[in-house]
């Protein structure tokens, strides 16, 4: 049977069935292979424990050689950037801040990010220019198309490190935002139990280690800084700087006011927790309200054609058979 515009209904039904089967297989695979976010970390800790039991320390010869090689590569990149006079202190500090917000603790990687901004456009742009103008790739695109490909490769390769870091920062901030109400509830319980602020942060980090590992890491680092920094305010400001999240800045402000003026911590945190839960509920309601508009395109492209084929297919077949008989 042929549909309008000369489309074969059997081929369309076959492709739609294949797409549906693939979607079901992907969903089943994703459901069966859901990984525990703490499994990798627990495995690393167990391996480290076994190494310590066997008397193997972290400063082995291979690790020292790897660290030395990494430092040499960083020093070469730093020397190249310094010779070209493109390494600025403000740019380096901004890259280090983005790396901290992305959960990357090493400050030396900032040199790699800045070097990638310089090297990637040269490498990728050269490859695109040679492929387009040297080997005659994409001849049918014309001169404007060739220029667009080369210019797009240059701009895209220059922005690629920043886009990657921004994506990691956004995803990490979203995961931390989801765990903030539960973390504040636990902080309220710890404060009412009589624990100090650093002990409360340490306890909450241990409790949230499996469900919200990113937030647990930040709280654990804050607890360590509260233990050895002379000015406790710096520890809270560092927490706000490591996470690009406005909601966390309110918590940090509350902590600083509590340390400065001696205001009751439990009542303030309880108010913040209720606000975060209300905000999370509003976000869920917003996503639910946006769902009909999001489902419109898949409904039109995938569901309605199948319904038309199932409903009108037998009628079209019978009409075609009647015309063939006549």
């Amino acid at each position: 049977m042929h549909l309008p515009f000369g489309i074969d209904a059997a081929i369309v039904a076959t492709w739609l069935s294949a797409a549906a089967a693939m979607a079901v297989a992907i969903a089943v695979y994703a459901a069966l292979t859901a990984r525990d976010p703490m499994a990798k970390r627990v495995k690393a800790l167990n391996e480290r424990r076994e190494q310590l039991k066997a008397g193997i320390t972290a400063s082995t010869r291979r690790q020292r050689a790897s660290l030395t090689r990494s430092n040499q590569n960083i020093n070469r990149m730093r020397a190249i950037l310094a010779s070209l006079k493109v390494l600025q202190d403000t740019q380096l500090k901004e890259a280090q801040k983005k790396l901290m917000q992305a959960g990357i603790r090493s400050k030396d990687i900032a040199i790699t990010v800045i070097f990638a901004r310089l090297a990637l456009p040269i490498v990728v742009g050269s490859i695109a220019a040679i492929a387009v103008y040297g080997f005659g790739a994409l001849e049918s695109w014309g001169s404007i198309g060739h220029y667009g490909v080369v210019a797009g490769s240059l701009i895209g390769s220059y922005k690629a490190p920043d886009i990657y870091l921004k994506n990691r920062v956004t995803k990490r901030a979203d995961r931390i935002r989801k765990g903030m109400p539960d973390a504040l509830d636990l902080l309220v319980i710890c404060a009412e139990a009589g624990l100090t602020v650093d002990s409360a942060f340490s306890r909450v980090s241990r409790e949230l280690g499996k469900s919200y590992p990113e937030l647990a890491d930040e709280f654990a680092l804050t607890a360590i800084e509260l233990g050895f920094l002379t000015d406790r305010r710096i520890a809270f400001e560092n927490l706000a700087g490591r996470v690009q999240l406005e909601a966390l800045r309110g918590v940090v402000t509350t902590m600083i006011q509590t340390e400065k003026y001696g205001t009751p911590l439990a009542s303030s945190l309880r108010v913040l927790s209720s606000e975060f839960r209300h905000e999370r509920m509003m976000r869920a309601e917003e996503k639910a309200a946006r769902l009909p508009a999001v489902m419109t395109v898949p409904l039109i492209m995938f569901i309605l054609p199948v319904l038309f084929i199932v409903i009108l297919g037998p009628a079209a077949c019978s009409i075609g058979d009647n015309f063939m008989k006549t």
Side-chain angles (χ1 to χ4, degrees), residues 19-35:
M22 184 178 295
V24 172
I26 293 173
V28 172
Y29 176 78
L32 294 178
T33 59
R35 296 182 178 179

Side-chain angles (χ1 to χ4, degrees), residues 58-286:
S59 58
T60 59
R61 183 177 302 174
R62 181 178 300 176
Q63 290 176 344
R64 286 199 302 269
S66 177
L67 183 60
T68 303
R69 193 180 306 111
S70 177
N71 291 333
Q72 290 176 353
N73 294 332
I74 295 295
N75 291 332
R76 292 193 189 98
M77 295 179 189
R78 189 189 298 273
I80 294 173
L81 294 174
S83 63
L84 296 175
K85 297 181 180 181
V86 296
L87 185 60
Q88 301 176 358
D89 292 338
T90 56
Q91 187 180 16
L92 185 62
K93 291 180 180 179
E94 185 66 23
Q96 290 174 353
K97 182 180 179 181
K98 290 294 183 182
L99 289 171
M100 284 193 302
Q101 292 175 353
I104 302 173
R105 305 297 183 191
S106 178
K107 293 184 177 181
D108 292 335
I109 302 182
I111 301 296
T112 305
V113 173
I114 299 174
F115 185 80
R117 293 174 185 170
L118 176 66
L120 284 178
I122 297 175
V123 175
V124 178
S126 300
I127 294 174
I130 292 172
V132 171
Y133 296 109
F135 295 98
L138 305 176
E139 294 181 355
S140 61
W141 285 35
S143 59
I144 298 177
H146 294 168
Y147 175 78
V149 170
V150 176
S153 62
L154 288 171
I155 297 173
S157 58
Y158 176 76
K159 290 293 185 180
D162 294 332
I163 294 173
Y164 172 74
L165 283 179
K166 185 177 180 180
N167 187 30
R168 286 198 56 166
V169 169
T170 303
K171 289 183 178 180
R172 189 168 184 268
D174 290 338
R175 291 193 291 267
I176 291 176
R177 182 188 292 111
K178 292 179 181 179
M180 283 302 300
D182 298 334
L184 291 180
D185 288 339
L186 291 175
L187 282 176
V188 170
I189 295 172
C190 294
E192 291 177 346
L195 294 178
T196 59
V197 177
D198 48 351
S199 299
F201 270 84
S202 179
R203 180 65 180 178
V204 172
S205 66
R206 290 198 300 269
E207 294 294 333
L208 297 179
K210 186 173 182 180
S211 54
Y212 304 105
E214 294 84 5
L215 183 58
D217 288 341
E218 295 297 337
F219 274 27
L221 185 56
T222 304
I224 294 172
E225 290 181 346
L226 287 171
F228 72 85
L229 288 178
T230 56
D231 189 0
R232 297 165 67 88
R233 178 173 181 170
I234 299 177
F236 295 121
E237 291 177 350
N238 291 338
L239 174 61
R242 290 193 302 267
V243 180
Q244 191 179 14
L245 190 62
E246 292 296 331
L248 188 60
R249 297 184 184 275
V251 178
V252 168
T253 304
T254 302
M255 292 292 180
I256 293 175
Q257 291 177 354
T258 301
E259 291 286 336
K260 185 175 181 180
Y261 301 108
T263 56
L265 178 61
S267 58
S268 302
L269 292 178
R270 190 178 290 108
V271 173
L272 288 175
S273 176
S274 62
E275 291 179 358
F276 287 156
R277 290 190 181 279
H278 182 65
E279 181 183 357
R280 186 166 63 178
M281 183 62 67
M282 290 182 63
R283 288 180 180 273
E285 292 176 355
E286 181 183 355

